């Protein structure tokens, strides 16, 4: 352009574009030159139209010596296309600038940030706080080391994203056992087998400590199991799910997912926790899954049913119960820091009756134990 031929207004608007193009044609700049350009940039960028800011970003993004202050302004630009170009800059980007852009979004820009190879730990943690599952999956595929304790802590408050990434986190062996148990319904077959193995290891550890083989046994009353079997064989999936939710004290939506799960492993866990006989367990599996699973896979599920101990199954179900308890807790109860019973089933908690069902004194007067109910 020929600035001498522009109007006064256009001349001021377009000075920054001309200066940027000139700045990027020089192989290097000394400190004073860079500071002068950064100050000119700061003063003129707000008056520069969108089209010119976009061209400026296209010019400066591939230039390795763009001053950090200029890139910071472009990253924060209200025009997403301008910010997107700035986020691809070859020059290093400031961690705080990236954190602010990640928090602000949108997701398209977070995905561009996640693809950068030079992210600071603060920027990575910010991504785990704000980015969606697809962006985080791409980040973890490119940089597995990004998953650290801070990242997991950020994810723990984002249940939906955690569920979407459950398979990947399980394959990386990044989840502690309690989270692995809680995410069981969201895991693939390999992840579920890993969760079951972790529960069995915890069971063996407990058995060694207590030297009491009774910890491996289920304690539900025969009448309870009889009604469950009848519900599965004669009442259909919905009726069985309702019985399952009540008997195991799990949320209704979780029980529905268990019954509808195409893999069948959650249903196997529930049957083993209940202590159903092998014959009844097999009948229920065939009744509920026979039309969805081939015979060979049903045999695999029966083998899995025979291999799981009831105690290990209860470790898994305890985390599904905890999910409902946290969701339904009253505000006054949330303010109290109750002790954490990591890995302990209901029968070991201080507030548990001998039947193994945790109830308040008021609850005991209103309803019988689920293990005793008909």
């Amino acid at each position: 352009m020929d600035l001498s031929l522009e109007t006064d207004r256009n001349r001021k608007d377009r000075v920054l574009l001309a200066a940027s193009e000139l700045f990027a044609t020089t192989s290097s700049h000394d400190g004073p030159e860079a500071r002068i350009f950064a100050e000119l940039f700061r003063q003129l960028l707000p008056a520069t139209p969108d089209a010119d800011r976009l061209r400026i970003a296209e010019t400066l993004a591939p230039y390795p010596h763009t001053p950090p202050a200029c890139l910071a302004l472009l990253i924060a630009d209200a025009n997403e296309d301008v910010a997107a170009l700035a986020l691809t800059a070859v020059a290093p980007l400031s961690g705080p600038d990236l954190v602010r852009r990640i928090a602000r979004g949108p997701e398209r820009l977070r995905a561009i940030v996640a693809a950068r190879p030079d992210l600071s730990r603060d920027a990575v943690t910010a991504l785990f706080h704000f980015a969606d599952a697809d962006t985080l999956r791409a980040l973890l595929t490119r940089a597995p080391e990004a998953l650290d304790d801070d990242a997991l802590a950020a994810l723990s408050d984002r249940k939906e994203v955690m569920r979407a990434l459950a398979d990947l986190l399980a394959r990386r062996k990044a989840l502690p056992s309690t989270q692995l148990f809680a995410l069981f319904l969201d895991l693939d077959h390999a992840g579920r087998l890993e969760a079951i193995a972790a529960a069995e290891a915890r069971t063996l550890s407990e058995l060694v400590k207590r030297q009491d083989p009774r910890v491996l046994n289920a304690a539900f009353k025969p009448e309870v199991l009889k009604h469950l079997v009848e519900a599965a064989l004669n009442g259909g999936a919905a009726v069985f799910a309702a019985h399952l939710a009540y008997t195991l004290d799990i949320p209704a939506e979780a029980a529905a997912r268990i019954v509808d799960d195409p893999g069948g492993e959650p249903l196997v866990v529930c049957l083993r926790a209940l202590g159903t006989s092998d014959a009844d367990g097999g009948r229920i599996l065939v009744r509920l899954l026979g039309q969805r699973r081939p015979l060979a896979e049903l045999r695999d599920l029966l083998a899995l049913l025979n291999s799981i101990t009831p105690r290990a199954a209860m470790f898994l179900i305890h985390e599904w119960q905890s999910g409902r308890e946290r969701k339904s807790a009253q505000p006054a109860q949330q303010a109290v820091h109750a002790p954490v019973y990591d890995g302990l089933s209901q029968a070991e908690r201080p507030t548990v009756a001998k039947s193994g069902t945790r109830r308040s004194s008021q609850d005991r007067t209103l309803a019988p134990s689920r293990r005793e109910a008909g």
Side-chain angles (χ1 to χ4, degrees):
M1 75 185 104
D2 187 346
L3 290 178
S4 63
L5 301 179
E6 297 282 350
T7 64
D8 288 343
R9 180 176 179 180
N10 288 342
R11 185 182 300 125
K12 182 177 181 180
D13 289 348
R14 311 201 70 180
V15 163
L16 186 59
L17 175 58
S20 299
E21 291 173 340
L22 179 63
F23 189 83
T25 59
T26 305
S27 58
S28 63
H29 298 275
D30 58 23
E33 289 177 342
R35 286 192 293 272
I36 290 172
F37 177 70
E39 179 60 24
L40 180 71
F41 204 91
R42 183 186 67 80
Q43 293 187 27
L44 296 183
L45 187 66
T48 303
D50 280 8
D52 285 357
R53 296 205 311 280
L54 191 61
R55 289 181 58 188
I56 289 170
E58 291 174 341
T59 300
L60 295 182
Y63 183 60
H65 306 295
T66 301
C70 299
L71 290 175
L73 291 173
L74 292 174
I75 289 172
D77 201 284
N79 187 314
E80 292 179 16
D81 293 331
V82 173
L85 284 169
L87 289 170
T88 65
V90 297
L93 299 181
S94 162
D97 292 333
L98 289 178
V99 169
R100 283 188 287 270
R101 186 75 254 189
I102 291 168
R104 181 179 172 186
E107 196 60 33
R108 169 197 173 197
L109 300 186
R110 295 184 185 121
I112 296 173
V113 173
R116 289 190 62 86
D118 57 348
L119 294 178
S120 66
R121 292 310 313 167
D122 288 343
V124 169
T125 302
L127 283 170
F128 280 94
H129 272 291
F130 294 103
D132 66 15
D134 290 338
T135 299
L136 294 177
R137 190 179 297 275
L139 171 63
L140 292 174
T141 301
R142 180 186 63 80
E145 70 280 359
L147 190 64
D148 60 8
D149 291 343
D150 290 338
L152 281 175
L155 278 180
S156 64
D157 294 328
R158 307 180 66 203
K159 302 303 182 184
E160 292 303 316
V161 176
M162 192 79 154
R163 289 175 56 183
L165 295 174
D167 289 347
L168 177 60
L169 298 176
R171 286 196 298 272
R172 298 286 173 82
K173 300 187 183 302
L175 296 174
S177 59
T178 51
Q179 285 187 326
L180 193 64
F181 300 164
L183 292 170
F184 188 88
L185 299 179
D186 303 295
L187 299 174
D188 58 13
H189 179 68
R192 289 172 174 179
L193 292 183
E194 182 179 343
I196 291 171
E200 294 290 0
R202 184 172 289 187
T203 300
L204 289 176
S205 175
E206 181 187 66
L207 180 60
V208 169
K209 290 179 181 178
R210 294 178 57 177
Q211 294 295 318
D212 185 356
R214 288 178 297 177
V215 301
L216 302 178
N217 299 325
F220 287 89
K221 298 295 183 180
E223 192 67 19
V224 175
L225 302 182
K226 178 182 176 181
H227 281 278
L228 277 168
V229 174
E230 291 177 354
L233 299 181
N234 302 317
V239 175
F240 178 73
H243 278 71
L244 196 66
Y246 178 77
T247 305
L248 290 177
D249 195 21
I250 59 178
E253 59 271 23
R257 289 184 65 192
I258 290 167
V259 175
D260 293 336
D261 187 274
E265 299 92 348
L267 180 57
V268 167
V269 169
C270 290
L271 294 176
R272 181 50 69 215
L274 290 165
T276 55
S277 66
D278 292 343
D280 284 340
R283 293 165 66 196
I284 292 174
L285 288 175
V286 171
R287 175 67 177 83
L288 297 178
L289 301 176
Q291 295 182 346
R292 291 181 281 160
R293 302 295 297 271
L295 182 59
E297 294 182 359
L298 284 176
R299 289 196 185 106
D300 291 339
L301 289 176
L302 288 172
L304 183 62
L305 178 64
N306 292 329
S307 66
I308 302 176
T309 60
R311 184 62 169 157
M314 281 306 303
F315 276 128
L316 292 163
I317 289 175
H318 165 65
E319 291 303 320
W320 308 346
Q321 294 168 335
S322 298
R324 187 183 72 166
E325 289 163 2
R326 285 190 294 268
K327 181 178 179 180
S328 62
Q330 297 297 323
Q333 294 172 325
Q334 292 175 342
V336 177
H337 297 283
V340 177
Y341 299 97
D342 184 25
L344 298 183
S345 73
Q346 294 179 0
E348 297 168 321
R349 297 190 181 185
T351 57
V352 175
K354 290 185 178 180
S355 64
T357 303
R358 177 169 37 81
R359 308 189 306 278
S360 67
S361 58
Q362 181 182 8
D363 292 336
R364 284 193 287 270
T365 64
L366 295 177
S369 165
R370 285 176 172 82
R371 299 193 180 198
E372 299 169 351

